[in-house]
Amino acid sequence: MTQDPGTRTTALTRRLTAPNPGPMTLDGTNSWLIGAPGQQDVVVVDPGPAHRGHLAALAAAGRTVLTLVTHRHADHTEAVDDFHELTGAPVRAVLPEFCRDAAPLADHETIEAAGCRIRVLHTPGHTSDSVSFHLPDDTPAAGGDAARGTGSVLTGDTVLGRGTTMLDHPDGSLGDYLRSLQRLAVLGDALVLPAHGGVREDVEAVCEELLEHRMDRLAEIREALRALGRAATLEAITARIYPDVPAHVLPAARSSVGAQLAYLGF
């Protein structure tokens, strides 16, 4: 079955969601296609899982001149080699092991490809290698608010389309995550183009909401430590903070609680 060439999300982007829905991936992993109107060239962000139909649809959506990776997790990187073989396009990521025929990404770097400017922003926290990609010249798709002035930002798993991300502790850290949210908030009303879930309005407002949520969680952690004692186990604290979390999501919950305990010095 042939997939469509992606859903138009903004003037410069299309989204094609991989068929890998789940508790951690929400509707599936979003692969993003970046390219100026009228361009055949595209930049693909996160080729996703090694699903033949998904990769064929990405390859058919334009002439891939570059593949970018937001971070190391397998639902974003499993297809790196297959897609590189399919398109011949170089692959760039923060970690050298995911690069193919190209140098690693650098913070503050500006990439010019497919008629677009792509600013690289190191936004660790979910993982240490997480990056976001700011498109300063982007505008909403036809019918949107043409007055929007700060473009769009592809946030990987740092900011999701709904809910809040897990912190892959100890590689990911809460301190890094809070600083990354503050960095993204500076982009003002930029549209949020996440790796999971739908487009969100106004990255500044979203990041402020997420920062408040994390402060609330830290207050809950402190209260759990007072109630259970400073010698309480990670499992006991997680069970108190997340009493209704399904068993298959508990490892992610424990990882995030571990990151918050480390932030508090435990």
Side-chain angles (χ1 to χ4, degrees):
M1 183 176 68
T2 302
Q3 299 185 36
D4 65 36
T7 300
R8 173 62 59 183
T9 42
T10 67
L12 300 182
T13 67
R14 288 172 285 162
R15 179 183 66 225
L16 205 158
T17 303
N20 63 332
M24 302 303 298
T25 58
L26 303 182
D27 308 313
T29 302
N30 294 328
S31 295
W32 292 94
L33 299 151
I34 301 172
Q39 280 269 346
Q40 289 298 310
D41 291 352
V42 295
V43 175
V44 169
V45 177
D46 288 343
H51 183 278
R52 184 177 300 176
H54 180 67
L55 297 183
L58 283 175
R63 183 171 57 238
T64 303
V65 295
L66 176 65
T67 299
L68 300 174
V69 171
T70 61
H71 67 289
R72 61 180 174 77
H73 284 156
D75 61 304
H76 301 257
T77 60
E78 184 182 53
V80 159
D81 284 324
D82 289 345
F83 196 62
H84 178 56
E85 182 177 354
L86 185 63
T87 65
V91 182
R92 301 190 64 194
V94 167
L95 297 177
E97 55 261 42
F98 295 110
C99 295
R100 302 292 182 269
D101 300 330
L105 294 167
D107 191 25
H108 300 292
E109 177 182 3
T110 296
I111 298 167
E112 296 193 8
C116 301
R117 286 192 300 150
I118 305 168
R119 294 180 58 231
V120 179
L121 304 175
H122 186 210
T123 50
H126 172 66
T127 62
S128 62
D129 67 311
S130 290
V131 288
S132 299
F133 300 109
H134 179 215
L135 306 179
D137 306 314
D138 204 3
T139 58
D145 178 11
R148 185 179 300 275
T150 53
S152 65
V153 57
L154 285 75
T155 54
D157 284 7
T158 301
V159 177
L160 304 178
R162 60 182 185 271
T164 185
T165 195
M166 62 89 73
L167 305 179
D168 196 357
H169 180 71
D171 178 60
S173 78
L174 180 58
D176 281 343
Y177 177 67
L178 297 177
R179 286 186 288 272
S180 292
L181 291 179
Q182 291 164 348
R183 185 177 195 188
L184 289 171
V186 173
L187 300 179
D189 67 351
L191 289 166
V192 177
L193 310 181
H196 304 283
V199 175
R200 300 180 73 171
E201 301 280 340
D202 196 329
V203 70
E204 181 178 14
V206 171
C207 287
E208 287 176 353
E209 175 186 321
L210 292 172
L211 284 164
E212 183 178 354
H213 171 76
R214 289 293 173 173
M215 293 303 103
D216 290 343
R217 281 288 189 229
L218 282 173
E220 292 178 359
I221 295 285
R222 291 187 180 99
E223 177 56 33
L225 288 167
R226 281 192 289 269
L228 300 173
R230 296 171 66 90
T233 65
L234 175 61
E235 288 74 17
I237 296 171
T238 303
R240 184 179 178 90
I241 300 296
Y242 297 101
D244 301 319
V245 167
H248 56 274
V249 183
L250 269 176
R254 281 195 295 266
S255 182
S256 286
V257 169
Q260 291 172 96
L261 288 170
Y263 181 79
L264 293 173
F266 290 91

